[in-house]
Amino acid sequence: MSSPFRTASGGRIDRTTTIEFTFDGQTLPGHPGDTLASALLANGRHQVATSTKLGRPRGIAAAWAEDPGGLVQVEEPFPEPMLLATTLELHEGLVARGLPGQGRLADVPDSARYDAVHHHVDVLVVGAGPAGLAAALSAARSGARVALVDEQSEAGGSLLSGTDQLDGVAAPAWVAAAVAELSRHPEVLHLQRTTAFGSYDDGFVLALERRTDHLGAEAPKNVSRQRVWRIRARSIVIATGAHERPVVFTDNDRPGVMLAGAARTFLHRYGVLPGREAVVFTTNDSAYDAALDLSRAGVRVQAVVDARPAGSPQRREECERAGIRVLSGAVVTGTHGVERVTHALVAPFVDGEVGAGSAIACDLLLVSGGWNPAVHLFSQARGRLRYDETLGAFLPGEQVEGLSVAGSAAGVLDLAGCLADGRRVARAALSHLAIEPGADDRLPTAPEPAVPAAPLVLWRVPDTSGAHGGSQFVDLQRDATVADIARAVGAGLRSIEHIKRYTTIGTAHDQGKTSGVLTSGITAELLGIPVQDTGTTTFRPPYTPVAFAALAGRDRGSLFDPERTTALHEWHVAAGAVFEDVGQWKRPRYYPEPGEDMETAVLRECAAARTGVGILDGSTLGKIDVQGPDAAVLLDRLYTNLISSLKVGSVRYGVMCGVDGMVIDDGTVLRLAEDRFLVLTTTGGAARILDWMEEWVQTEWPELRVHCTSVTEQWVTFPVVGPRSRDVIGAVFPQVDVSTEAFPFMTWRDTTLDGVPVRLARISFSGELAFEVYVNPWYAVPVWQRLLEAGRPYGITPYGTETMHVLRAEKGYPIIGQDTDGTVTPHDLGMAWAVSKKKPDFVGKRSFARPANQDPLRKQLVGLLPVDRQTVLPEGSQIVEFRADGQLPPPPVPMLGHVTSSYRSAELARPFALALVKGGRERIGDTVHVPVHGILVPVEVTGPVLVDPEGARRDG
Amino acid sequence: MQLIACPWCGPREEVEFSYGGQAGVPYPADPAVLSDEQWAHYVFFRDNPKGRFAERWNHSAGCRRWFTAIRDTATYRFERVSRLDDPKPVT
Ligand SMILES: [Zn+2]
């Protein structure tokens, strides 16, 4: 197979190797070094897809990421939507097809790895074109720590697209020497195929390295596919070049209409002739290079159409020598053709008026309206832009600390100027960092820049077709036209941000790289205001699309968030536990026996704890060791009740409130010594309460001699619960007198098991006789197994969090955060007994006296019993009340409160619930209603304690 | 992502820090003597200036120390940080 539009020689492709790829079902040849776009053009294919709204044929209009048209879907080797043919490196076996604007996500899992690397440098240079290379060389020669990142497959930028000589050799040879020099500096990191896509505060830049995409199926499995570089630079040099700007005219979207610079790139870099007969339409000198180069390569250049009245005298002469006709003071007003341009309509253009025109046959129409500096990274870091009237472009308008812009990104458009600017900016950055420049920091000798004729700023050619800009395309990907902008302006929109959203211009994959400044210009023209006043839309990361998989990196699946497991986790898994997530913890929810669902398992587990003995892995409870001479003072200030009166060896339940008087946590406190307490928090409150304690100690009471340390991970906790728990504990710890007299409720004892220290505490979260067993996690499994063994005669039953919740709810014990929501005081929970009247102050006390906290209609915790003894009320259900006449009040029906916890009780043989109800304690005995699936279920309001309200069971 | 200079650890990534609101709002010496309005001002009211603001920050994923920062709420720029035992900073 041969490619009809491939040049005989030249380009940066490897002609010795032919690779086959498939596009739209057709197998085609290409070479290593091609992009999909260059290979398609080499085979004579311009059209890639049809447009998203209008279905118009669309082709390749640029040579890199600014291309608005050539979106493809990759099918092989891995399905990926919405890639640009111009940036997709060709590889063997690539299968792709053109996309009408919308892609399709892969329906197979992505098996590739993605990762991230942090990197710190003195100087980061973005872009390895002439300015970037000059800057990187200058920085590297100083010995500074440098990173150079560039988005293309090889360094060089625009140097690969021309015919310039540097230091007397072809520019690509100079690039190779520069890259080799950089590689000899040990402190230089040089990354190609790496797009700096976001620039943030304090020299922080995110860059995406495509490590194996270009290898296709050959990609090694042990190398991450893409890598996000998180670079922190003391100084950043942005040398990202410039994007050529089109001129808008009627039917400017046909395949074969291309930016002039792109044609040069396809010719010199890829050895591709983008056509046979070309018309070049320009407003500035740069497009003449494309006309002359293509002519030299054998393309018949029918005419250079220069919108400037006098054109460019110097370039005209060069064209005439090459036999190219130049039409000055003329414009392209339209095109003919369907799937490919066949004619350019050319007309005189005098004082903004278009004259009578004629059609010139061509299969390639090159366009240049000037150059837009790629100021994206500068602008993302909140650098302000200024409009330059001569260039018709926005330039970096001010200095941003630690950020400088060099070369054509700063509006310098000649090669020698870009090289000098790169070195100048790098040296300024070094000087700012107090780094001496290196010796022999020389610039290559570059061609003397020609003095160009002044460019003309022309956003669009007046529409002579009668369509009022209806097929003058501004954003080809969005099918948005001059008529759309006119409609937006006509609707009264003035802000460029609003016009963007109204027209959708600049919202496609390319984020307006070719259309953005055009929109500002055309809008300003329509509004009759200066372009500076229109400004640009805000530049936001990413510069080019980045896959979510790359941003996620390794933070996927089980690595997304740490999973915390207790020392018994393997045992729980082997026992067939069903787990639930409690914060980051994996906790057994219940242990189903064969054939059991959750409901039957939980009823069985509950019955065991209430009638025999159950055992729970409560190791996730938060534990804070509070030590120091002032430990009791601190706890007195933070708990609502008195802690300092607690005796060593005893345990007290306590409640903590915020300064607003609302409950933030509850738990028990063990006094280990005069100056030492173990504070137990809820599983979810562990980190928060430690923060809370440290905040008060550091910011308000630094004079207190006290230290708080998390010991959650240092102790496992196994509550052994039920009337037979004393038998089990007595059997495992025979040296401990477990009688109520010797070991009363709310006390703790230290003992040992085979020499291992164990702490036992008589704490109950179920109302039953219970012992909590504390031990170092290393001994968790044997201690747990000893307890199970000793409990076997009593049918000891491991239970999970669901049973724990039912048992505590039957006793009316609230879960902070489930039965409370940050608007609930201890009094609302019926815990006035836990609020000290003796202490002069504690956190939250003053708020209890606020009128709102005295309101008798505050929501209070009560129990609910569905009258039908059947319905399990959904948690979160609203509670309503009938009027005296037995009817529901008219809407909006007042809400009395809501259900906070709801379960089926084995003990009560009926479902029950806890709820927060307005003036709830006054309503005990009343019947209220809860809507469940459209039916109003009558429920009786009760006190919150439904099982053993006398507390007779706690001592067994 | 910004760098925040912890007065104990030096510049660290902003994700290591947590915000603690306005600085210089001490817990009242004797809350019991305050009127409801005065107490409500302590509990609920904070300044919200555009520009320089004295704030409490915590290096929560680092040394866990609280410190005071003078920060510009319009530019996000940290102008000064100080330890709690340093003299009170002035905005
Ligand atoms: Zn710190």
Side-chain angles (χ1 to χ4, degrees):
Chain A
M1 283 191 293
S2 70
S3 303
F5 289 83
R6 189 73 75 178
T7 58
S9 62
R12 318 251 334 134
I13 48 167
D14 173 9
R15 292 172 189 264
T16 63
T17 307
T18 297
I19 50 187
E20 285 192 348
F21 67 100
T22 307
F23 187 77
D24 282 349
Q26 192 184 359
T27 302
L28 296 166
H31 295 295
D34 264 324
T35 60
L36 175 59
S38 70
L40 288 173
L41 292 176
N43 290 291
R45 270 199 78 142
H46 269 253
Q47 185 185 345
V48 170
T50 50
S51 71
T52 183
K53 271 198 313 207
L54 305 172
R56 289 170 71 105
R58 291 286 159 76
I60 294 155
W64 190 250
E66 64 273 30
D67 183 25
L71 279 183
V72 299
Q73 169 99 28
V74 170
E75 307 286 5
E76 300 282 344
F78 177 76
E80 259 196 285
M82 310 282 280
L83 297 179
L84 268 178
T86 50
T87 60
L88 188 59
E89 288 185 53
L90 199 69
H91 55 75
E92 182 70 44
L94 176 73
V95 179
R97 61 184 174 77
L99 265 192
Q102 288 181 336
R104 173 178 49 75
L105 289 175
D107 49 12
V108 293
D110 183 355
S111 60
R113 275 193 177 199
Y114 301 83
D115 61 14
V117 171
H118 290 261
H119 195 69
H120 294 256
V121 293
D122 295 314
V123 181
L124 166 67
V125 180
V126 181
L133 282 172
L137 284 170
S138 193
R141 286 164 181 166
S142 76
R145 201 159 188 224
V146 177
L148 170 64
V149 302
D150 182 90
E151 58 181 341
Q152 303 217 10
S153 60
E154 57 177 326
S158 62
L159 294 172
L160 306 179
S161 301
T163 54
D164 290 309
Q165 297 228 322
L166 289 175
D167 274 349
V169 295
W174 178 82
V175 170
V179 168
E181 182 185 337
L182 289 172
S183 72
R184 289 193 293 273
H185 289 281
E187 290 295 328
V188 173
L189 171 75
H190 175 195
L191 298 169
Q192 289 297 143
R193 299 190 173 93
T194 304
T195 306
F197 64 82
S199 99
Y200 305 84
D201 304 284
D202 294 336
F204 189 61
V205 168
L206 292 179
L208 180 77
E209 182 187 11
R210 292 168 297 278
R211 306 182 75 204
T212 66
D213 287 328
H214 60 290
L215 301 175
E218 307 290 305
K221 291 279 175 280
N222 62 334
V223 176
S224 60
R225 183 179 191 201
Q226 296 180 354
R227 169 173 287 174
V228 173
W229 286 83
R230 305 165 64 91
I231 303 171
R232 183 73 74 171
R234 296 170 71 201
S235 191
I236 301 172
V237 177
I238 295 171
T240 44
H243 296 138
E244 197 163 24
R245 181 173 62 236
V247 181
V248 176
F249 49 86
T250 302
D251 296 329
N252 57 331
D253 63 328
R254 299 198 197 288
V257 179
M258 183 182 282
L259 290 167
R264 270 190 110 201
T265 299
F266 286 120
L267 172 64
H268 294 302
R269 184 159 175 187
Y270 301 105
V272 170
L273 297 177
R276 303 270 187 231
E277 291 187 313
V279 169
V280 179
F281 174 31
T282 188
T283 63
N284 64 89
D285 277 15
S286 72
Y288 284 83
D289 291 329
L292 291 161
D293 288 358
L294 288 177
S295 166
R296 230 168 273 137
V299 175
R300 189 176 323 124
V301 178
Q302 303 280 43
V304 173
V305 180
D306 192 325
R308 295 171 290 185
S312 170
Q314 188 188 339
R315 306 311 303 258
R316 168 189 284 270
E317 211 182 288
E318 287 177 61
C319 284
E320 278 166 359
R321 278 203 300 276
I324 300 170
R325 176 166 60 132
V326 176
L327 304 169
S328 300
V331 289
V332 170
T333 58
T335 63
H336 289 162
V338 180
E339 288 170 359
R340 180 79 180 263
V341 64
T342 59
H343 294 81
L345 307 179
V346 177
F349 183 60
V350 181
D351 296 333
E353 296 290 324
V354 175
S358 57
I360 303 178
C362 62
D363 62 358
L364 180 66
L365 172 52
L366 301 184
V367 183
S368 178
W371 295 83
N372 295 328
V375 292
H376 304 67
L377 295 177
F378 174 80
S379 182
Q380 284 172 15
R382 290 193 266 164
R384 287 188 190 285
L385 303 175
R386 71 175 171 84
Y387 179 68
D388 184 295
E389 297 215 341
T390 311
L391 294 175
F394 289 87
L395 300 180
E398 60 170 24
Q399 198 67 32
V400 173
E401 203 191 324
L403 199 67
S404 35
V405 186
S408 53
V412 179
L413 293 178
D414 71 284
L415 175 53
C418 283
L419 291 161
D421 200 43
R423 186 176 70 165
R424 179 189 65 78
V425 165
R427 285 196 169 180
L430 292 171
S431 152
H432 192 71
L433 300 175
I435 300 173
E436 287 289 312
D440 193 26
D441 183 20
R442 59 177 290 277
L443 286 173
T445 51
E448 200 58 35
V451 179
L456 174 76
V457 176
L458 178 67
W459 310 116
R460 61 155 183 154
V461 174
D463 189 354
T464 52
S465 72
H468 306 290
S471 58
Q472 293 194 324
F473 289 89
V474 180
D475 186 333
L476 272 63
Q477 186 55 224
R478 287 290 186 237
D479 272 337
T481 63
V482 171
D484 292 320
I485 300 178
R487 202 169 295 121
V489 168
L493 304 184
R494 294 293 178 272
S495 157
I496 196 71
E497 297 284 1
H498 293 159
I499 287 165
K500 167 182 175 172
R501 283 152 184 81
Y502 191 93
T503 60
T504 74
I505 289 173
T507 60
H509 69 282
D510 60 326
Q511 292 285 292
K513 288 185 178 64
T514 52
S515 59
V517 177
L518 281 178
T519 306
S520 297
I522 294 168
T523 300
E525 212 170 84
L526 292 170
L527 289 172
I529 60 172
V531 180
Q532 175 71 48
D533 293 356
T534 309
T536 65
T537 56
T538 307
F539 290 88
R540 292 192 180 86
Y543 171 68
T544 49
V546 178
F548 282 116
L551 294 175
R554 302 294 306 276
D555 301 336
R556 301 167 71 165
S558 62
L559 297 180
F560 177 67
D561 195 32
E563 269 182 18
R564 302 176 79 184
T565 55
T566 73
L568 279 186
H569 190 72
E570 301 306 315
W571 189 93
H572 298 316
V573 171
V578 174
F579 289 88
E580 72 167 335
D581 292 337
V582 181
Q584 292 171 331
W585 288 103
K586 296 278 172 207
R587 295 197 70 179
R589 193 173 186 193
Y590 58 99
Y591 300 84
E593 290 190 343
E596 281 186 335
D597 60 7
M598 183 169 95
E599 192 177 307
T600 48
V602 169
L603 287 172
R604 173 179 53 75
E605 291 174 10
C606 285
R610 291 252 182 257
T611 61
V613 59
I615 185 167
L616 172 76
D617 181 3
S619 306
T620 62
L621 270 186
K623 304 171 200 83
I624 302 168
D625 193 336
V626 182
Q627 294 189 45
D630 293 321
V633 178
L634 174 68
L635 297 181
D636 269 354
R637 291 182 188 179
L638 294 180
Y639 278 102
T640 59
N641 45 347
L642 201 58
I643 303 293
S644 53
S645 61
L646 185 65
K647 291 188 177 56
V648 175
S650 285
V651 181
R652 188 164 289 167
Y653 172 79
V655 176
M656 277 192 210
C657 292
V659 289
D660 59 359
M662 303 304 158
V663 177
I664 58 169
D665 206 54
D666 72 339
T668 48
V669 180
L670 284 65
R671 189 161 203 168
L672 305 180
E674 278 305 312
D675 61 352
R676 188 170 185 191
F677 296 81
L678 182 66
V679 168
L680 300 178
T681 73
T682 55
T683 297
R688 195 164 40 81
I689 296 304
L690 180 66
D691 289 349
W692 179 246
M693 291 177 156
E694 287 186 339
E695 179 180 341
W696 284 98
V697 169
Q698 286 185 41
T699 65
E700 292 291 345
W701 308 315
E703 72 282 2
L704 293 186
R705 294 159 299 164
V706 60
H707 292 276
C708 308
T709 308
S710 168
V711 291
T712 302
E713 311 263 358
Q714 277 65 36
W715 294 98
V716 292
T717 309
F718 307 144
V720 180
V721 175
R724 307 313 298 263
S725 58
R726 180 173 284 129
D727 301 296
V728 178
I729 297 298
V732 176
F733 304 99
Q735 73 279 25
V736 179
D737 182 348
V738 293
S739 68
T740 304
E741 299 69 35
F743 195 167
F745 183 58
M746 293 304 254
T747 61
W748 60 268
R749 302 285 181 263
D750 275 349
T751 183
T752 58
L753 183 61
D754 292 351
V756 173
V758 173
R759 177 170 296 147
L760 302 174
R762 279 210 47 207
I763 298 170
S764 179
F765 195 40
S766 60
E768 299 298 326
L769 174 70
F771 294 80
E772 291 187 348
V773 180
Y774 291 77
V775 71
N776 183 310
W778 284 14
Y779 306 104
V781 174
V783 170
W784 176 266
Q785 275 165 345
R786 292 277 189 100
L787 292 164
L788 289 183
E789 237 163 78
R792 192 172 302 140
Y794 315 104
I796 193 167
T797 302
Y799 66 86
T801 50
E802 194 66 22
T803 292
M804 177 189 80
H805 280 294
V806 178
L807 296 176
R808 65 87 201 172
E810 288 173 339
K811 287 290 292 179
Y813 298 150
I815 298 271
I816 306 307
Q818 173 168 338
D819 299 296
T820 70
D821 59 3
T823 66
V824 179
T825 67
H827 311 84
D828 299 336
L829 293 174
M831 289 187 182
W833 55 267
V835 178
S836 166
K837 302 210 170 37
K838 288 189 209 145
K839 288 195 285 184
D841 192 33
F842 54 81
V843 171
K845 180 180 169 82
R846 176 64 184 83
S847 286
F848 295 150
R850 295 176 63 235
N853 287 13
Q854 305 284 324
D855 184 351
L857 285 183
R858 288 184 65 78
K859 287 183 183 173
Q860 295 163 340
L861 187 73
V862 293
L864 297 180
L865 289 171
V867 172
D868 66 2
R869 305 181 72 94
Q870 291 295 325
T871 308
V872 180
L873 304 172
E875 289 172 355
S877 297
Q878 295 291 330
I879 297 164
V880 298
E881 183 179 35
F882 285 177
R883 290 186 312 208
D885 62 3
Q887 298 295 310
L888 206 57
V893 179
M895 297 296 167
L896 290 187
H898 67 280
V899 175
T900 59
S901 293
S902 178
Y903 311 97
R904 198 178 285 283
S905 167
E907 181 77 9
L908 303 169
R910 65 188 293 182
F912 73 105
L914 296 176
L916 287 170
V917 177
K918 277 183 194 165
R921 283 198 285 276
E922 283 297 308
R923 292 177 177 274
I924 289 173
D926 290 0
T927 299
V928 292
H929 287 79
V930 175
V932 180
H933 305 308
I935 295 164
L936 288 168
V937 176
V939 299
E940 187 196 341
V941 180
T942 71
V945 188
L946 291 162
V947 168
D948 184 28
E950 307 78 27
R953 296 181 177 185
R954 69 165 206 219
D955 290 328
Chain B
M1 186 157 50
Q2 261 184 287
L3 291 176
I4 297 175
C6 170
W8 301 89
C9 308
R12 294 288 188 276
E13 306 255 332
E14 69 177 72
V15 291
E16 295 182 13
F17 295 82
S18 51
Y19 180 62
Q22 183 175 0
V25 186
Y27 188 74
D30 187 359
V33 303
L34 299 186
S35 69
D36 282 343
E37 189 181 340
Q38 287 169 322
W39 177 250
H41 268 270
Y42 165 70
V43 176
F44 300 113
F45 285 59
R46 294 295 182 271
D47 295 339
N48 185 25
K50 179 178 180 181
R52 294 175 134 205
F53 194 34
E55 299 173 333
R56 304 189 321 153
W57 284 82
N58 183 219
H59 192 191
S60 43
C63 66
R64 297 188 61 78
R65 300 237 197 193
W66 285 88
F67 59 92
T68 308
I70 307 296
R71 191 180 68 105
D72 189 313
T73 60
T75 64
Y76 306 157
R77 189 66 38 205
F78 280 72
E79 297 184 359
R80 210 139 33 89
V81 293
S82 53
R83 290 156 42 161
L84 294 181
D85 53 2
D86 288 337
K88 186 168 177 261
V90 183
T91 37

